Amino acid sequence: MSLHIAIDPTESEPGSRLVVCLEGLLNSQGAETAHHYLRILLDQQTKPVHVLLEGSKLTYLNSSGLRTLSQFSRELRKSGKRLALCCASEQLTDLVEVAGLSTLILMYPSVDEARQALVH
Amino acid sequence: MPETRETLTLRNKIAELERLSDFIAEFGDRNGLAQKDVFAFTLSLEELVTNIINYGYRGEGEHPIILTMLVEDGTVCALLEDQAPAFDPFAREEVDITLGVEDRPIGGLGIHLCKKMMDHVSYDHTGGFNRVHLHRMLRGPGTTVAVPDPIDTPLESNPQHHQT
């Protein structure tokens, strides 16, 4: 199984917050897919946006995936925006914590909670 | 729990990672491991095998990477062997996760995660083989836990363990 990644147009608010659904494996192969997709997505924006990753169907995440998300988060932070991973399993949430990346990859139990936290 | 030893031989190709994760999942099923234990070994062994393929063998030629796993006295043990130049993956300086997220180098994260996921890791170089040992105690309720000795399967003397 590979990584499927797609923007959720019904949840996204152009110019403010994008909601992107992740499904499958964010391993070294998935990380490449995610990197390209997120890069293109960001280039298409006319103004900086928060990016909320909906990860309820994300089944695996390793150091390659964490590196990609971290690098992407650093890019967003340069324009004052944040990257959030929402609805991830307890296992993946723990992994981000153990990696010491929870201030870079913000974790929320739901997209709604991320949306409420990332207002500006 | 009786000892159940299983061995997988991989080639030094990234495409082999799928066989690796399938093997660990099936080993987990056969031995009643919890999902979090399967996840811990999948993540740790994928990180180690990727490093062996990319940096040990440098993507050159065709070489074996041999994984042996067993459950003993409430602990899951894995032994990973390769014939790349001697290299201790655990000798590297610890990743400093207290550094600011903007300042922290990203390298070394895979090994850091491996160390955190396991209860004990060790390395030796024996008979021309890099040998990485991973131990993780089973977390199930009522599990009797003891850290067994490292798996000792000199490859030269145990050809029956080379089957894929």
Side-chain angles (χ1 to χ4, degrees), chain B residues 61-96:
Chain B
E62 188 163 312
H63 309 277
I65 300 166
I66 301 111
L67 169 64
T68 305
M69 293 186 74
L70 65 87
V71 179
E72 189 176 33
D73 296 331
T75 299
V76 186
C77 310
L79 167 64
L80 194 61
E81 299 171 286
D82 69 81
Q83 288 182 294
F87 177 72
D88 179 357
F90 306 123
R92 183 185 172 131
E93 196 174 331
E94 276 286 325
V95 171
D96 185 356

mmCIF file of all heavy atoms in Angstrom, chain B residues 61-96:
data_model
loop_
_atom_site.group_PDB
_atom_site.id
_atom_site.type_symbol
_atom_site.label_atom_id
_atom_site.label_comp_id
_atom_site.label_asym_id
_atom_site.label_seq_id
_atom_site.Cartn_x
_atom_site.Cartn_y
_atom_site.Cartn_z
ATOM 1 N N GLY B 61 26.083 -3.824 -6.075
ATOM 2 C CA GLY B 61 26.108 -5.286 -6.065
ATOM 3 C C GLY B 61 24.879 -5.887 -5.433
ATOM 4 O O GLY B 61 23.866 -5.212 -5.203
ATOM 5 N N GLU B 62 24.944 -7.178 -5.176
ATOM 6 C CA GLU B 62 23.830 -7.847 -4.503
ATOM 7 C C GLU B 62 24.365 -8.587 -3.281
ATOM 8 O O GLU B 62 25.273 -9.405 -3.395
ATOM 9 C CB GLU B 62 23.138 -8.817 -5.462
ATOM 10 C CG GLU B 62 21.860 -9.373 -4.861
ATOM 11 C CD GLU B 62 20.947 -10.003 -5.898
ATOM 12 O OE1 GLU B 62 20.716 -9.357 -6.942
ATOM 13 O OE2 GLU B 62 20.487 -11.119 -5.657
ATOM 14 N N HIS B 63 23.812 -8.278 -2.144
ATOM 15 C CA HIS B 63 24.305 -8.823 -0.879
ATOM 16 C C HIS B 63 23.121 -9.203 0.000
ATOM 17 O O HIS B 63 22.062 -8.580 -0.076
ATOM 18 C CB HIS B 63 25.143 -7.774 -0.146
ATOM 19 C CG HIS B 63 26.210 -7.159 -0.977
ATOM 20 N ND1 HIS B 63 27.444 -7.728 -1.184
ATOM 21 C CD2 HIS B 63 26.207 -5.994 -1.693
ATOM 22 C CE1 HIS B 63 28.166 -6.951 -1.974
ATOM 23 N NE2 HIS B 63 27.438 -5.895 -2.293
ATOM 24 N N PRO B 64 23.336 -10.173 0.876
ATOM 25 C CA PRO B 64 22.242 -10.558 1.771
ATOM 26 C C PRO B 64 22.194 -9.708 3.041
ATOM 27 O O PRO B 64 23.217 -9.218 3.509
ATOM 28 C CB PRO B 64 22.585 -12.006 2.115
ATOM 29 C CG PRO B 64 24.077 -12.058 2.065
ATOM 30 C CD PRO B 64 24.498 -11.061 1.007
ATOM 31 N N ILE B 65 21.004 -9.563 3.546
ATOM 32 C CA ILE B 65 20.770 -8.967 4.870
ATOM 33 C C ILE B 65 19.868 -9.974 5.581
ATOM 34 O O ILE B 65 18.786 -10.284 5.077
ATOM 35 C CB ILE B 65 20.079 -7.601 4.770
ATOM 36 C CG1 ILE B 65 20.948 -6.623 3.969
ATOM 37 C CG2 ILE B 65 19.780 -7.037 6.160
ATOM 38 C CD1 ILE B 65 20.224 -5.358 3.529
ATOM 39 N N ILE B 66 20.332 -10.507 6.687
ATOM 40 C CA ILE B 66 19.607 -11.618 7.316
ATOM 41 C C ILE B 66 18.979 -11.166 8.634
ATOM 42 O O ILE B 66 19.651 -10.613 9.502
ATOM 43 C CB ILE B 66 20.550 -12.816 7.576
ATOM 44 C CG1 ILE B 66 21.168 -13.286 6.252
ATOM 45 C CG2 ILE B 66 19.786 -13.987 8.193
ATOM 46 C CD1 ILE B 66 22.626 -13.018 6.146
ATOM 47 N N LEU B 67 17.684 -11.409 8.724
ATOM 48 C CA LEU B 67 16.943 -11.062 9.945
ATOM 49 C C LEU B 67 16.468 -12.339 10.620
ATOM 50 O O LEU B 67 15.869 -13.208 9.976
ATOM 51 C CB LEU B 67 15.725 -10.198 9.585
ATOM 52 C CG LEU B 67 14.704 -9.963 10.702
ATOM 53 C CD1 LEU B 67 15.330 -9.168 11.852
ATOM 54 C CD2 LEU B 67 13.479 -9.247 10.167
ATOM 55 N N THR B 68 16.770 -12.461 11.900
ATOM 56 C CA THR B 68 16.264 -13.572 12.707
ATOM 57 C C THR B 68 15.440 -12.976 13.842
ATOM 58 O O THR B 68 15.891 -12.041 14.509
ATOM 59 C CB THR B 68 17.417 -14.405 13.306
ATOM 60 O OG1 THR B 68 18.261 -14.837 12.242
ATOM 61 C CG2 THR B 68 16.884 -15.617 14.069
ATOM 62 N N MET B 69 14.232 -13.497 14.028
ATOM 63 C CA MET B 69 13.385 -13.006 15.120
ATOM 64 C C MET B 69 12.897 -14.164 15.960
ATOM 65 O O MET B 69 12.667 -15.264 15.454
ATOM 66 C CB MET B 69 12.180 -12.240 14.569
ATOM 67 C CG MET B 69 12.551 -10.933 13.883
ATOM 68 S SD MET B 69 11.094 -9.963 13.396
ATOM 69 C CE MET B 69 10.550 -9.347 15.000
ATOM 70 N N LEU B 70 12.766 -13.915 17.241
ATOM 71 C CA LEU B 70 12.195 -14.920 18.125
ATOM 72 C C LEU B 70 11.532 -14.245 19.312
ATOM 73 O O LEU B 70 11.819 -13.088 19.622
ATOM 74 C CB LEU B 70 13.256 -15.923 18.585
ATOM 75 C CG LEU B 70 14.404 -15.445 19.460
ATOM 76 C CD1 LEU B 70 14.030 -15.481 20.928
ATOM 77 C CD2 LEU B 70 15.623 -16.339 19.248
ATOM 78 N N VAL B 71 10.652 -15.011 19.952
ATOM 79 C CA VAL B 71 10.025 -14.561 21.191
ATOM 80 C C VAL B 71 10.513 -15.488 22.284
ATOM 81 O O VAL B 71 10.435 -16.714 22.153
ATOM 82 C CB VAL B 71 8.489 -14.632 21.119
ATOM 83 C CG1 VAL B 71 7.877 -14.173 22.448
ATOM 84 C CG2 VAL B 71 7.957 -13.781 19.984
ATOM 85 N N GLU B 72 11.066 -14.907 23.330
ATOM 86 C CA GLU B 72 11.628 -15.721 24.410
ATOM 87 C C GLU B 72 11.393 -15.031 25.744
ATOM 88 O O GLU B 72 11.758 -13.858 25.912
ATOM 89 C CB GLU B 72 13.136 -15.900 24.168
ATOM 90 C CG GLU B 72 13.791 -16.886 25.095
ATOM 91 C CD GLU B 72 15.258 -17.088 24.738
ATOM 92 O OE1 GLU B 72 15.909 -16.126 24.265
ATOM 93 O OE2 GLU B 72 15.762 -18.190 24.923
ATOM 94 N N ASP B 73 10.799 -15.731 26.670
ATOM 95 C CA ASP B 73 10.572 -15.213 28.020
ATOM 96 C C ASP B 73 9.943 -13.823 28.012
ATOM 97 O O ASP B 73 10.389 -12.913 28.715
ATOM 98 C CB ASP B 73 11.899 -15.161 28.797
ATOM 99 C CG ASP B 73 12.474 -16.542 29.016
ATOM 100 O OD1 ASP B 73 11.678 -17.498 29.093
ATOM 101 O OD2 ASP B 73 13.706 -16.665 29.089
ATOM 102 N N GLY B 74 8.933 -13.668 27.191
ATOM 103 C CA GLY B 74 8.207 -12.399 27.192
ATOM 104 C C GLY B 74 8.928 -11.260 26.503
ATOM 105 O O GLY B 74 8.561 -10.101 26.669
ATOM 106 N N THR B 75 9.945 -11.571 25.750
ATOM 107 C CA THR B 75 10.690 -10.530 25.032
ATOM 108 C C THR B 75 10.807 -10.914 23.561
ATOM 109 O O THR B 75 11.080 -12.072 23.237
ATOM 110 C CB THR B 75 12.100 -10.348 25.631
ATOM 111 O OG1 THR B 75 11.979 -9.950 26.989
ATOM 112 C CG2 THR B 75 12.890 -9.289 24.873
ATOM 113 N N VAL B 76 10.590 -9.936 22.684
ATOM 114 C CA VAL B 76 10.814 -10.165 21.256
ATOM 115 C C VAL B 76 12.248 -9.742 20.951
ATOM 116 O O VAL B 76 12.672 -8.650 21.338
ATOM 117 C CB VAL B 76 9.853 -9.340 20.384
ATOM 118 C CG1 VAL B 76 10.018 -9.710 18.917
ATOM 119 C CG2 VAL B 76 8.410 -9.562 20.823
ATOM 120 N N CYS B 77 12.978 -10.637 20.297
ATOM 121 C CA CYS B 77 14.370 -10.346 19.963
ATOM 122 C C CYS B 77 14.535 -10.394 18.454
ATOM 123 O O CYS B 77 13.959 -11.252 17.786
ATOM 124 C CB CYS B 77 15.311 -11.390 20.571
ATOM 125 S SG CYS B 77 15.029 -11.678 22.319
ATOM 126 N N ALA B 78 15.336 -9.499 17.941
ATOM 127 C CA ALA B 78 15.661 -9.512 16.513
ATOM 128 C C ALA B 78 17.166 -9.393 16.361
ATOM 129 O O ALA B 78 17.820 -8.641 17.095
ATOM 130 C CB ALA B 78 14.968 -8.353 15.794
ATOM 131 N N LEU B 79 17.687 -10.150 15.434
ATOM 132 C CA LEU B 79 19.110 -10.060 15.089
ATOM 133 C C LEU B 79 19.193 -9.736 13.601
ATOM 134 O O LEU B 79 18.629 -10.460 12.771
ATOM 135 C CB LEU B 79 19.812 -11.393 15.376
ATOM 136 C CG LEU B 79 21.217 -11.559 14.788
ATOM 137 C CD1 LEU B 79 22.190 -10.555 15.383
ATOM 138 C CD2 LEU B 79 21.722 -12.989 15.032
ATOM 139 N N LEU B 80 19.885 -8.656 13.283
ATOM 140 C CA LEU B 80 20.040 -8.228 11.896
ATOM 141 C C LEU B 80 21.515 -8.327 11.524
ATOM 142 O O LEU B 80 22.368 -7.759 12.216
ATOM 143 C CB LEU B 80 19.554 -6.778 11.768
ATOM 144 C CG LEU B 80 19.324 -6.221 10.379
ATOM 145 C CD1 LEU B 80 18.248 -7.013 9.626
ATOM 146 C CD2 LEU B 80 18.908 -4.760 10.473
ATOM 147 N N GLU B 81 21.808 -9.064 10.447
ATOM 148 C CA GLU B 81 23.208 -9.296 10.078
ATOM 149 C C GLU B 81 23.465 -8.879 8.631
ATOM 150 O O GLU B 81 22.642 -9.143 7.742
ATOM 151 C CB GLU B 81 23.554 -10.777 10.244
ATOM 152 C CG GLU B 81 23.388 -11.255 11.682
ATOM 153 C CD GLU B 81 23.504 -12.754 11.811
ATOM 154 O OE1 GLU B 81 22.543 -13.437 11.411
ATOM 155 O OE2 GLU B 81 24.540 -13.237 12.284
ATOM 156 N N ASP B 82 24.616 -8.277 8.423
ATOM 157 C CA ASP B 82 25.028 -7.932 7.055
ATOM 158 C C ASP B 82 26.546 -7.947 6.969
ATOM 159 O O ASP B 82 27.229 -7.952 7.987
ATOM 160 C CB ASP B 82 24.473 -6.561 6.659
ATOM 161 C CG ASP B 82 25.131 -5.431 7.421
ATOM 162 O OD1 ASP B 82 26.244 -5.001 7.061
ATOM 163 O OD2 ASP B 82 24.544 -4.992 8.434
ATOM 164 N N GLN B 83 27.034 -7.967 5.733
ATOM 165 C CA GLN B 83 28.479 -8.040 5.521
ATOM 166 C C GLN B 83 29.042 -6.748 4.933
ATOM 167 O O GLN B 83 30.105 -6.765 4.305
ATOM 168 C CB GLN B 83 28.810 -9.219 4.600
ATOM 169 C CG GLN B 83 28.638 -10.564 5.296
ATOM 170 C CD GLN B 83 29.016 -11.717 4.390
ATOM 171 O OE1 GLN B 83 28.346 -11.946 3.383
ATOM 172 N NE2 GLN B 83 30.076 -12.420 4.729
ATOM 173 N N ALA B 84 28.368 -5.667 5.146
ATOM 174 C CA ALA B 84 28.903 -4.368 4.731
ATOM 175 C C ALA B 84 30.086 -4.030 5.650
ATOM 176 O O ALA B 84 30.285 -4.698 6.667
ATOM 177 C CB ALA B 84 27.803 -3.310 4.845
ATOM 178 N N PRO B 85 30.878 -3.012 5.300
ATOM 179 C CA PRO B 85 31.971 -2.609 6.196
ATOM 180 C C PRO B 85 31.466 -2.388 7.621
ATOM 181 O O PRO B 85 30.339 -1.915 7.814
ATOM 182 C CB PRO B 85 32.478 -1.302 5.568
ATOM 183 C CG PRO B 85 32.163 -1.457 4.118
ATOM 184 C CD PRO B 85 30.859 -2.221 4.066
ATOM 185 N N ALA B 86 32.307 -2.726 8.593
ATOM 186 C CA ALA B 86 31.905 -2.642 10.002
ATOM 187 C C ALA B 86 31.385 -1.243 10.332
ATOM 188 O O ALA B 86 32.032 -0.245 10.027
ATOM 189 C CB ALA B 86 33.093 -2.980 10.898
ATOM 190 N N PHE B 87 30.201 -1.218 10.945
ATOM 191 C CA PHE B 87 29.611 0.075 11.325
ATOM 192 C C PHE B 87 28.623 -0.143 12.454
ATOM 193 O O PHE B 87 27.708 -0.961 12.336
ATOM 194 C CB PHE B 87 28.888 0.720 10.139
ATOM 195 C CG PHE B 87 28.202 2.011 10.499
ATOM 196 C CD1 PHE B 87 28.951 3.149 10.754
ATOM 197 C CD2 PHE B 87 26.813 2.087 10.621
ATOM 198 C CE1 PHE B 87 28.331 4.338 11.110
ATOM 199 C CE2 PHE B 87 26.191 3.271 10.977
ATOM 200 C CZ PHE B 87 26.954 4.397 11.216
ATOM 201 N N ASP B 88 28.826 0.601 13.537
ATOM 202 C CA ASP B 88 27.921 0.524 14.681
ATOM 203 C C ASP B 88 26.885 1.644 14.567
ATOM 204 O O ASP B 88 27.219 2.809 14.782
ATOM 205 C CB ASP B 88 28.723 0.676 15.979
ATOM 206 C CG ASP B 88 27.838 0.628 17.217
ATOM 207 O OD1 ASP B 88 26.595 0.540 17.069
ATOM 208 O OD2 ASP B 88 28.390 0.680 18.327
ATOM 209 N N PRO B 89 25.650 1.306 14.244
ATOM 210 C CA PRO B 89 24.648 2.370 14.054
ATOM 211 C C PRO B 89 24.308 3.107 15.349
ATOM 212 O O PRO B 89 23.767 4.219 15.299
ATOM 213 C CB PRO B 89 23.421 1.606 13.525
ATOM 214 C CG PRO B 89 23.601 0.208 14.001
ATOM 215 C CD PRO B 89 25.086 -0.027 14.038
ATOM 216 N N PHE B 90 24.633 2.477 16.487
ATOM 217 C CA PHE B 90 24.259 3.097 17.765
ATOM 218 C C PHE B 90 25.388 3.936 18.366
ATOM 219 O O PHE B 90 25.240 4.500 19.452
ATOM 220 C CB PHE B 90 23.825 2.021 18.764
ATOM 221 C CG PHE B 90 22.733 1.144 18.218
ATOM 222 C CD1 PHE B 90 22.905 -0.231 18.144
ATOM 223 C CD2 PHE B 90 21.548 1.685 17.768
ATOM 224 C CE1 PHE B 90 21.911 -1.051 17.625
ATOM 225 C CE2 PHE B 90 20.549 0.882 17.234
ATOM 226 C CZ PHE B 90 20.726 -0.488 17.171
ATOM 227 N N ALA B 91 26.526 3.994 17.662
ATOM 228 C CA ALA B 91 27.666 4.733 18.201
ATOM 229 C C ALA B 91 27.535 6.232 17.972
ATOM 230 O O ALA B 91 28.193 7.024 18.627
ATOM 231 C CB ALA B 91 28.953 4.231 17.561
ATOM 232 N N ARG B 92 26.661 6.586 17.042
ATOM 233 C CA ARG B 92 26.476 7.997 16.723
ATOM 234 C C ARG B 92 25.935 8.768 17.930
ATOM 235 O O ARG B 92 25.174 8.239 18.734
ATOM 236 C CB ARG B 92 25.483 8.095 15.566
ATOM 237 C CG ARG B 92 25.235 9.495 15.079
ATOM 238 C CD ARG B 92 24.141 9.495 14.028
ATOM 239 N NE ARG B 92 23.799 10.871 13.733
ATOM 240 C CZ ARG B 92 23.707 11.371 12.518
ATOM 241 N NH1 ARG B 92 23.888 10.622 11.476
ATOM 242 N NH2 ARG B 92 23.408 12.636 12.332
ATOM 243 N N GLU B 93 26.337 10.009 18.001
ATOM 244 C CA GLU B 93 25.871 10.866 19.092
ATOM 245 C C GLU B 93 24.343 10.947 19.085
ATOM 246 O O GLU B 93 23.734 11.015 18.021
ATOM 247 C CB GLU B 93 26.464 12.269 18.906
ATOM 248 C CG GLU B 93 26.378 13.128 20.130
ATOM 249 C CD GLU B 93 27.107 14.463 19.924
ATOM 250 O OE1 GLU B 93 28.065 14.504 19.140
ATOM 251 O OE2 GLU B 93 26.686 15.429 20.541
ATOM 252 N N GLU B 94 23.774 10.945 20.279
ATOM 253 C CA GLU B 94 22.316 11.007 20.411
ATOM 254 C C GLU B 94 21.751 12.271 19.755
ATOM 255 O O GLU B 94 22.365 13.337 19.838
ATOM 256 C CB GLU B 94 21.924 11.029 21.881
ATOM 257 C CG GLU B 94 21.850 9.652 22.527
ATOM 258 C CD GLU B 94 20.618 8.877 22.089
ATOM 259 O OE1 GLU B 94 19.562 9.488 21.875
ATOM 260 O OE2 GLU B 94 20.737 7.649 21.941
ATOM 261 N N VAL B 95 20.599 12.118 19.138
ATOM 262 C CA VAL B 95 19.891 13.291 18.634
ATOM 263 C C VAL B 95 19.445 14.119 19.834
ATOM 264 O O VAL B 95 18.896 13.576 20.792
ATOM 265 C CB VAL B 95 18.640 12.858 17.822
ATOM 266 C CG1 VAL B 95 17.775 14.056 17.477
ATOM 267 C CG2 VAL B 95 19.066 12.112 16.573
ATOM 268 N N ASP B 96 19.711 15.408 19.788
ATOM 269 C CA ASP B 96 19.321 16.282 20.894
ATOM 270 C C ASP B 96 17.946 16.866 20.600
ATOM 271 O O ASP B 96 17.820 17.861 19.887
ATOM 272 C CB ASP B 96 20.360 17.394 21.074
ATOM 273 C CG ASP B 96 20.068 18.256 22.293
ATOM 274 O OD1 ASP B 96 19.014 18.039 22.947
ATOM 275 O OD2 ASP B 96 20.882 19.142 22.600
#
